[in-house]
Amino acid sequence: MKISDRDVLLVIDVQNDFCTGGALAVPGGEKVVPAINRIAQKFDNVVLTQDWHPRDHVSFAPNHAGRQPFQTIELDYGTQVLWPSHCVQGTAGAQFHRDLDVTRASLVVRKGFRRGIDSYSALFENDHRTPTGLLGYLRERELKTVFVAGLALDFCVRFSAEDARKAGLQVVVIEDACRAIDLDGLVAATHQSFRELGISVVSLEAFL
């Protein structure tokens, strides 16, 4: 696969709390790191995202009396999964995995920092209206194709890929540079959504 200067690698939430031993560990989460580091060498444009929550964030189950992680509540923007407290601003859990090569990144997008709304997507918060600023960055630099990798495939990778595609960008998900939570069969739903939207799914081999 030939990478051009109009392509960007979008690396989603490769943070300690999403890796083994973290507060919201994605199974095998840290295993994406070598693949991402290898792929990133081929890109002139690399963007990292970072979950960056306040301690009193609305998505944290401990902030709702009687609620348990992975239950859902209804908020004004729709259904919200309640998560264990994770990626709290300034904590070790919010830091990027120590082996992730961050030196190639031209931008770090922090998301989920507003107390009252969660942010899965790198482009919009969960109301699908409040922008993170990334879409403007991509358009200003005339970046046309977004390659997405990171954590977790069925949440933040999926929402980021979908929003980028709906914004008119070409989108490619590098599946073996992602790992999934697979909450209630969401991986199958994710693949179905990708097919419907015309989001390509490729393997690491495409870059070798």
Side-chain angles (χ1 to χ4, degrees):
M1 183 172 290
K2 185 171 174 54
I3 304 301
S4 81
D5 61 3
R6 290 286 174 262
D7 298 337
V8 58
L9 178 63
L10 180 57
V11 179
I12 304 292
D13 296 358
V14 183
Q15 296 166 259
N16 290 329
D17 269 345
F18 295 128
C19 297
T20 298
L24 183 50
V26 179
E30 66 282 352
K31 293 179 180 177
V32 305
V33 173
I36 289 170
N37 287 346
R38 189 171 182 181
I39 295 164
Q41 295 173 14
K42 300 181 181 293
F43 284 82
D44 292 331
N45 305 292
V46 178
V47 172
L48 308 179
T49 71
Q50 190 176 24
D51 247 14
W52 197 248
H53 297 307
R55 291 189 182 278
D56 60 349
H57 197 258
V58 71
S59 75
F60 290 173
N63 293 330
H64 300 270
R67 296 286 187 163
Q68 298 298 316
F70 308 108
Q71 292 181 334
T72 60
I73 59 171
E74 293 301 316
L75 298 175
D76 55 6
Y77 57 83
T79 302
Q80 173 67 50
V81 177
L82 294 177
W83 305 107
S85 298
H86 65 279
C87 297
V88 173
Q89 296 169 5
T91 64
Q95 293 175 6
F96 292 117
H97 189 279
R98 65 181 181 277
D99 295 331
L100 182 69
D101 180 7
V102 301
T103 62
R104 300 188 65 83
S106 55
L107 178 69
V108 174
V109 176
R110 286 178 167 170
K111 58 190 182 67
F113 57 83
R114 293 179 175 89
R115 189 199 72 79
I117 186 168
D118 210 0
S119 271
Y120 298 156
S121 169
L123 283 77
F124 292 95
E125 299 195 336
N126 283 8
D127 61 0
H128 305 291
R129 293 191 305 272
T130 305
T132 64
L134 178 58
L135 183 57
Y137 175 91
L138 299 177
R139 286 176 169 163
E140 182 178 308
R141 284 156 183 77
E142 299 182 345
L143 301 174
K144 305 294 188 185
T145 303
V146 180
F147 290 79
V148 192
L151 305 170
L153 176 68
D154 43 340
F155 281 92
C156 296
V157 169
R158 175 185 178 175
F159 276 62
S160 299
E162 290 174 349
D163 280 351
R165 186 73 187 107
K166 290 171 184 175
L169 298 162
Q170 295 298 312
V171 181
V172 180
V173 173
I174 310 164
E175 186 167 30
D176 46 1
C178 302
R179 291 295 185 276
I181 298 173
D182 203 14
L183 191 65
D184 299 328
L186 279 177
V187 168
T190 296
H191 280 285
Q192 177 68 24
S193 172
F194 289 171
R195 286 192 293 271
E196 291 173 356
L197 289 171
I199 293 170
S200 301
V201 178
V202 302
S203 72
L204 187 61
E205 289 182 354
F207 296 87
L208 301 181

